Amino acid sequence: MAPNWIFDSNLKPLIEILAMFCGCKIEQDDLDTIYSEVKKTDYEKDVWFKYEYSEGLELKVAQDLGSSVIFVDVLANEGLEAKVAVAIEILQIYRLI
């Protein structure tokens, strides 16, 4: 998939949805690490953080400094691509808090 965006408040729901899709469990330590690393990213400078769920699913994120948007690039196997696309579209419209 090409890079897309979500509201920054929807990062946790995206992380959890992707974990559900691949049957992984996300622990608080994982979330803490991801949030810490995302703070070091910058979309304009092409600085991304990559998190691998499994062989068939990878999440890359970069914050858009000064906005409420996080850019996401999800590499998913063919069986998950449609689900991921729908999840991202929902996370662009609604703020899941």
Side-chain angles (χ1 to χ4, degrees), residues 11 13 41 51 55 57 59 66 77 86 89 94:
L11 181 58
T41 66
Y51 184 81
E55 289 184 25
L57 189 64
L59 170 66
N77 63 37
V86 170
E89 190 171 331
Y94 301 100

Side-chain angles (χ1 to χ4, degrees), residues 12 26-33 35:
K12 182 179 179 189
I26 295 292
E27 303 290 338
Q28 187 60 48
D29 289 344
D30 297 315
L31 288 172
D32 293 343
T33 298
Y35 288 139

Side-chain angles (χ1 to χ4, degrees), residues 13-25 53-54 56-57 74 76-77 79-88 90-91:
L14 177 63
I15 292 166
E16 292 174 342
I17 289 166
L18 294 178
M20 180 184 64
F21 287 166
C22 67
C24 299
K25 181 158 174 65
Y53 288 89
S54 64
L57 189 64
V74 180
N77 63 37
L80 292 178
E81 280 185 353
K83 289 180 179 182
V84 171
V86 170
I88 289 173
I90 291 167
L91 297 173

